[in-house]
Amino acid sequence: MKRYYFGKNKVIVVARALFDWQEDYRDAIYAPYDSLEIAAQADGRFSVWGNLGEEDADLLRDTKPDSRNLLAQVLGMADEISEE
């Protein structure tokens, strides 16, 4: 599994790429997050976490297949990548 980290300056850009297809999408939903984290599985599934600080995070997308090919739009913008 790889984890991709996106800092505050990229939160809205990444959120738009991943979630703006949803009818209820609004930038204001994602603005409070300090960073976003994508956990990408080797089989193509991924989850998204919104980090609010040191110990607090919200699960924004549970681990599901990337049927919309969303990861290709954002992974190149990652500030940091780790592998587990």
Side-chain angles (χ1 to χ4, degrees), residues 57-74:
D58 292 331
L59 179 61
L60 303 175
R61 175 194 162 101
D62 203 358
T63 305
K64 297 178 189 170
D66 186 13
S67 59
R68 294 179 177 270
N69 199 27
L70 300 171
L71 289 180
Q73 299 176 45
V74 299

Side-chain angles (χ1 to χ4, degrees), residues 15-59:
R16 282 181 188 158
L18 296 176
F19 302 115
D20 77 344
W21 58 271
Q22 296 174 344
E23 188 175 309
D24 62 346
Y25 176 86
R26 292 184 334 256
D27 287 348
I29 295 170
Y30 303 95
Y33 295 110
D34 294 334
S35 62
L36 294 180
E37 176 184 336
I38 295 175
Q41 306 289 329
D43 64 5
R45 297 176 300 134
F46 75 98
S47 60
V48 180
W49 293 86
N51 299 312
L52 292 164
E54 291 288 321
E55 299 292 324
D56 199 13
D58 292 331
L59 179 61

